[in-house]
Amino acid sequence: MKYIFIIYTSILFIFLPIHGFTQETGTPGKGEGILQFLKRFERTKPEHYTQFMELNKSKLDKNNGLRLGVKYTLPPMNREGNEPLFGEKLAKYTIESDELKGACFYLVSGHGGPDPGAIGVLQGHQLHEDEYAYDIMLRLARTLMSKGAKVHIIIQDAADGIRDDKFLATGDRETCMGDPIPLNQVQRLKQRCDKINTLFRKDKEAYRRAIFIHLDSRSESKQIDVFFYHYEGSAKGKHLANTLQDVFNKKYDKHQPNRGFSGTVNTRDLYVIEQTLPVAVFLELGNIQNSRDQQRFLLNDNRQALANWICEGLTQDFRHYSK
Ligand SMILES: [Zn+2]
């Protein structure tokens, strides 16, 4: 029994440090300031400095300087986040920057639950709008979060993470943050708006934006690629829609110069952008029933590119308001 106890405690001591108890330390060189010291250990971001000060407050001298011969705790190199909705492989993500710190997003993929949205058909497969919109929305969420943004994922599917498949399996598991989605259109839209507005009232960020992602388009014209809608009375919504359009223009010029891109910014009486308290934009990223547009959604790289472009637009818009 005694031996078992000894073995058990030694195992415990071997494993303890691995489970988060190890914190790197370092001792300063002669005349070294905090910034120099942190740079030597490759902690060069502003948040590293802030964290270092918090961790070592009691060990600094009167003038908040380093003392020779003292061991200081180093802030972790990268911070990690965890969002199980991204799926097993991608749940963990690295917060690479604080670019979007102070921004808060409400992300909604169109339709979901009993409503698949528009349905396209390709090579005998059904393409459901809600599944593709959901995948792009999750990719966008992860990208935003890796830049330090706060993100509320309003439409959720506990089983589908970010998927790389060309043909995304269809399902009706999606919920509105855990609540079953009603089939009735008005109830369905009201439910997601109510959810956003409840969160909005609690969130303290000055910059809060709701993004609705759709892959259908009610336009008769086949010429137009992407629609960015905002609420008529909202100057901030208009600014965001224009910023997004601008990013998309530049990306299309770069990647498909011969094809040309025509995205339009419009106002529209859409229930969701009228009823949500945060500034909102409604995106139609193409039409899943259109064979040319289908290519944009089928490849996972393309879905990621769309997410990255939206993220880039949101980042520019956030910067504009946080100057
Ligand atoms: Zn739709």
Side-chain angles (χ1 to χ4, degrees), residues 117-171:
I119 297 177
V121 178
L122 186 70
Q123 296 162 16
H125 296 269
Q126 282 204 354
L127 313 174
H128 286 194
E129 180 192 355
D130 68 334
E131 302 293 343
Y132 287 85
Y134 185 68
D135 192 69
I136 293 167
M137 186 271 288
L138 283 187
R139 289 169 188 272
L140 172 61
R142 197 169 186 274
T143 313
L144 292 168
M145 285 154 89
S146 74
K147 292 175 176 232
K150 174 165 151 190
V151 175
H152 298 291
I153 299 172
I154 305 297
I155 302 302
Q156 303 185 351
D157 184 318
D160 289 337
I162 292 170
R163 292 175 284 174
D164 283 346
D165 316 52
K166 225 171 150 180
F167 298 107
L168 297 181
T170 60

Side-chain angles (χ1 to χ4, degrees), residues 7 19 34 63 89-90 96 98 103 113 140 157 189 215 221 238 297 306:
I7 292 165
H19 288 99
I34 294 176
N63 307 315
K89 273 191 232 155
L90 294 168
E96 285 154 4
D98 273 346
L140 172 61
D157 184 318
L189 299 181
L215 307 179
S221 158
K238 188 177 180 184
F297 312 128
L306 288 167

